[in-house]
Each structure stands twice: as structure tokens, then as C-alpha cells.
Amino acid sequence: MTSLEAIRSRITGRKTEEIRPVRRRNAVLIPLIEEDGELSILFEVRQADIRQGGEICFPGGMVEETETPSQAAARETAEELLIPEDSIEVLAPMHRMSGPGGAQIDSFLGVLHGYTGSYSAEEVDHVFTVPLSWFAQHAPRLSEGAMAVETAEDFPYDCIPGGRDYPWRKIPRTFYFYETEGGVIWGMTAELLYHCLKVLL
């Protein structure tokens, strides 16, 4: 029989353990560039034959074990835009959010100094910019939705009250859509953009 003292000895100094740990950490840069005397935000359009091809996104990617999210955002931006890291000035951390599949995404605001339009064709189809002044005059379209629970074919419905009619809760979510001349910005990119613009404008 387990005693209270035995339990105390097992949990002394214990820290919270995550049951559903973050599967991967990602970081993106929200890149500002100066154009014709005003600031614009640079966006990438992903190469068609890679995951989520054709989507509009910020430069970024996975955080390696040896680096901070800020360092990852700068490194990935340098790799995707074919620019030296020392031409990237990270200004500040912006927001953190969880994405599909347990990913954690950190966003950072930065400035690209001396950028001339280069990019890696392996990952990027093309880039385009949108002036901050455009965003000041154009609010996003909003749509309310939800993320639903999906179960496996062999899910043991006989083990839960209500069986297949169990009232699963859906996770509410607001979707943001910016309809720019360069294309429609939506998904996590638009959500991070929306919250960034609330700080900047």
C-alpha cells in the first residue's frame, strides 16, 4: 500500500509537466521595408510545389534547438530572401499563438535594410509589399468559424455517454481576410498581421 510519505518523496520539487507538449516551435518575421518615403510590409507567396503552396505568408520557419525564436526568424528570413542576416534588424517580439497540430508560432517585427527584391525560388514564388498606409485605410473582412474534433474510425463511442451523439465542443475562431492587390492574406498570417497592426497603427 502506497503511503502519503512515499507520495511526498516522489513529488518533492516537481514542476508542471505538459501532457500535450508543443510539437514544434516556429518563428516568423513581419518585415518592414522603406519604399518611396513610406513603410511597407513585405509578404512572400509560397512556391506552388511545397506544403501550403500558393499561400501568402511571412518569412520564417522552425526554431532549432540551439537558437532563440528571434534568431530563427532572422535566419529563416535571410535564407528565404537571400540576404545577409546583418541586414535584418529585429525590432521587437510581437505575438505568440498556437497553430494547427500543436505548433507554437512567435512573431517578430523587423526591418530589412537595403533589400532589393531577392528570394529563394526553391521556397518562394514571388514577393510583394503593401504600404502600412493601406492597412490603416482597409480593415480586414472577418468571419467566425470553429475548429471541430475529429475522431478515428475505431473511436470507442460505446465508452462515452451519448455515443456518436456526444456533444463535442467546437473551438471558436475568428478568421481574418485582407484583400490586397497582391492576393488575399488569410489564416495565421492574417491573424498575426491583424494583432501587429493594432500595435502599430
Side-chain angles (χ1 to χ4, degrees):
M1 181 174 175
T2 302
S3 69
L4 183 56
E5 285 309 309
I7 289 174
R8 285 187 199 278
S9 69
R10 288 177 189 162
I11 62 174
T12 298
R14 181 176 170 78
K15 298 190 185 314
T16 301
E17 181 180 349
E18 292 187 58
I19 293 176
R20 295 188 189 94
V22 173
R23 288 181 54 199
R24 65 183 186 277
R25 298 170 70 201
N26 295 317
V28 300
L29 188 78
I30 300 173
L32 297 172
I33 62 170
E34 289 192 73
E35 294 182 312
D36 302 321
E38 70 173 320
L39 289 172
S40 296
I41 298 178
L42 179 111
F43 297 91
E44 298 178 350
V45 178
R46 294 170 66 85
Q47 188 58 256
D49 55 0
I50 66 173
R51 185 173 170 273
Q52 294 180 293
E55 296 263 351
I56 295 171
C57 65
F58 294 123
M62 188 176 296
V63 179
E64 304 292 345
E65 289 185 11
T66 57
E67 62 187 356
T68 66
S70 173
Q71 291 169 334
R75 175 184 55 76
E76 288 281 350
T77 298
E79 292 173 2
E80 292 172 19
L81 298 181
L82 302 178
I83 57 177
E85 273 194 56
D86 61 11
S87 71
I88 302 166
E89 180 186 357
V90 178
L91 298 175
M94 296 308 292
H95 298 91
R96 174 177 292 165
M97 65 182 293
S98 58
Q104 175 182 291
I105 302 165
D106 287 278
S107 66
F108 297 85
L109 185 67
V111 180
L112 306 184
H113 295 287
Y115 179 66
T116 57
S118 59
Y119 56 85
S120 169
E122 291 182 7
E123 298 184 68
V124 182
D125 182 80
H126 65 278
V127 298
F128 68 94
T129 60
V130 180
L132 276 178
S133 58
W134 185 91
F135 289 112
Q137 299 167 7
H138 296 83
R141 287 177 59 183
L142 305 182
S143 180
E144 299 303 322
M147 299 175 70
V149 173
E150 291 187 7
T151 57
E153 289 183 21
D154 61 349
F155 187 84
Y157 282 103
D158 57 308
C159 293
I160 62 175
R164 290 188 177 278
D165 295 323
Y166 185 81
W168 297 105
R169 287 194 174 203
K170 294 183 178 179
I171 304 169
R173 182 174 174 186
T174 301
F175 293 88
Y176 303 83
F177 300 84
Y178 289 93
E179 299 176 63
T180 74
E181 288 187 8
V184 177
I185 303 165
W186 80 291
M188 288 184 292
T189 300
E191 191 166 355
L192 289 170
L193 174 63
Y194 172 80
H195 290 286
C196 177
L197 293 172
K198 284 177 65 177
V199 176
L200 302 184
L201 301 178

